[in-house]
Amino acid sequence: MKRYKIEKDGKLEVGMVLYTKHFKLTVDRDLCKGCELCMLACPREAISLIAREGATSLLDIDENKCDYHGICAVACPFNAITISMNDQAGIPAVEHGVFPKLTRDIEVRSEKCEPGCRDCEKACPLGMICISEDENGVSVDIKKENCASCPHCWAACPKDAIEVNKFIEGDIQIKPELCPPECRNCVDVCPVNALEVGEDGKVFANDIYCIYCGACLPVCPADGALRVHRTAIRHSPVESGAWNKGLEKMTSATGLMRELSAKRNDRAREAVAKLVQPEENE
């Protein structure tokens, strides 16, 4: 067995070469925003973040710990991580029912778009929207697999032609009195422009746009000045202990209990429906 780690063409690649299999994990540096979700989700603690003042934190992976299950790839809001075996892309954690897929709830109603309008395209902080026009009308193409589900496009659209629901729920709090003077590190690295500087010179968070990814946390030099609290993550159905552990690390024990309680209620409703249905058919 051989393990390796290399940097090339703006990508970090770690791999494990066996006799008949070659596992590879690739991080696209351009797509990676230095958030903490993949690090929190990784059960092997193979991922770390290197904070850089005024710049996006640098993601690093310990090639000796990674087992290429792909949980990190699922947790990444920006689709910056890919997994392959013998050059065939896939996410084993999803394929084997260990982890769910994040629910990217994005609806586009192109028939409502006005010719010449580019508001949503300009508003997208990640550049994931492309608008084209032909004799059939306006077409709005969104790279949903890379979309972080911030609702900038929805807010900017004058015709309500786009609807976006966040896949992470939570809140963010900033204590300006603890912020070092003139520090704008969090503002500089926020991938969705959810942090701004007010007229009073203090940093504030716009919860409407925040996706609670945590990219701001590693670069904050003041302990307690910034807090991100995730309460829920929307995802496809799954029954997995590994997901429960990952969810608790990415949110909290309260977030986990909230999901487990919701699942119990769903099962109870299903059981009642099965009992009632035969009576209704009599």
Side-chain angles (χ1 to χ4, degrees):
M1 180 180 68
K2 174 186 176 183
R3 293 180 180 267
Y4 67 89
K5 177 165 65 174
I6 56 176
E7 287 268 5
K8 64 176 183 179
D9 302 326
K11 293 180 172 59
L12 168 65
E13 180 183 313
V14 296
M16 180 172 64
V17 182
L18 305 175
Y19 184 68
T20 59
K21 296 179 180 180
H22 177 195
F23 295 92
K24 182 169 61 177
L25 183 153
T26 305
V27 179
D28 188 318
R29 294 294 195 195
D30 291 332
L31 294 177
C32 179
K33 305 305 177 185
C35 78
E36 63 176 7
L37 288 171
C38 63
M39 180 180 68
L40 294 174
C42 179
R44 302 276 295 178
E45 298 183 352
I47 301 176
S48 58
L49 290 172
I50 303 172
R52 301 182 295 173
E53 185 175 352
T56 300
S57 298
L58 195 67
L59 185 148
D60 189 31
I61 298 177
D62 187 335
E63 70 276 18
N64 295 310
K65 291 183 178 180
C66 182
D67 61 6
Y68 305 93
H69 43 58
I71 286 177
C72 56
V74 178
C76 179
F78 311 101
N79 198 32
I81 302 175
T82 54
I83 307 287
S84 68
M85 184 183 75
N86 296 339
D87 294 325
Q88 295 296 314
I91 303 179
V94 174
E95 295 167 0
H96 293 94
V98 175
F99 243 58
K101 291 183 177 179
L102 299 183
T103 302
R104 299 177 188 270
D105 188 4
I106 306 165
E107 183 179 356
V108 179
R109 297 178 285 269
S110 297
E111 68 277 4
K112 289 189 173 184
C113 296
E114 290 186 344
C117 180
R118 296 290 186 274
D119 290 354
C120 64
E121 187 179 64
K122 295 175 182 177
C124 179
L126 300 175
M128 295 301 164
I129 300 178
C130 180
I131 297 178
S132 59
E133 297 182 33
D134 56 26
E135 63 275 7
N136 297 317
V138 180
S139 177
V140 180
D141 179 34
I142 299 179
K143 295 180 181 178
K144 293 185 179 181
E145 68 276 10
N146 298 105
C147 175
S149 294
C150 72
H152 275 285
C153 55
W154 187 5
C157 180
K159 295 297 181 178
D160 198 28
I162 296 180
E163 183 174 342
V164 178
N165 292 304
K166 299 180 186 181
F167 51 77
I168 300 177
E169 298 176 14
D171 62 79
I172 180 171
Q173 294 182 0
I174 297 177
K175 295 183 178 180
E177 67 274 12
L178 298 180
C179 295
E182 307 301 324
C183 179
R184 300 292 181 267
N185 288 353
C186 59
V187 177
D188 293 339
V189 304
C190 180
V192 294
N193 301 333
L195 298 175
E196 304 175 43
V197 181
E199 294 182 357
D200 58 0
K202 296 179 180 179
V203 176
F204 70 95
N206 189 330
D207 262 300
I208 294 177
Y209 301 128
C210 184
I211 59 172
Y212 315 112
C213 67
C216 51
L217 296 176
V219 301
C220 180
D223 186 35
L226 185 60
R227 186 185 73 90
V228 175
H229 179 217
R230 304 176 197 90
T231 56
I233 298 178
R234 303 175 66 193
H235 58 84
S236 59
V238 68
E239 295 287 345
S240 165
W243 166 247
N244 291 342
K245 292 179 181 178
L247 177 62
E248 183 175 7
K249 291 173 67 177
M250 288 186 285
T251 57
S252 64
T254 302
L256 172 60
M257 293 307 299
R258 175 182 176 182
E259 173 158 321
L260 293 178
S261 177
K263 287 181 177 179
R264 285 194 296 268
N265 291 337
D266 288 341
R267 286 193 289 266
R269 281 192 291 268
E270 291 173 2
V272 171
K274 289 179 181 179
L275 291 173
V276 172
Q277 187 173 4
E279 297 178 2
E280 293 177 344
N281 294 331
E282 292 179 358

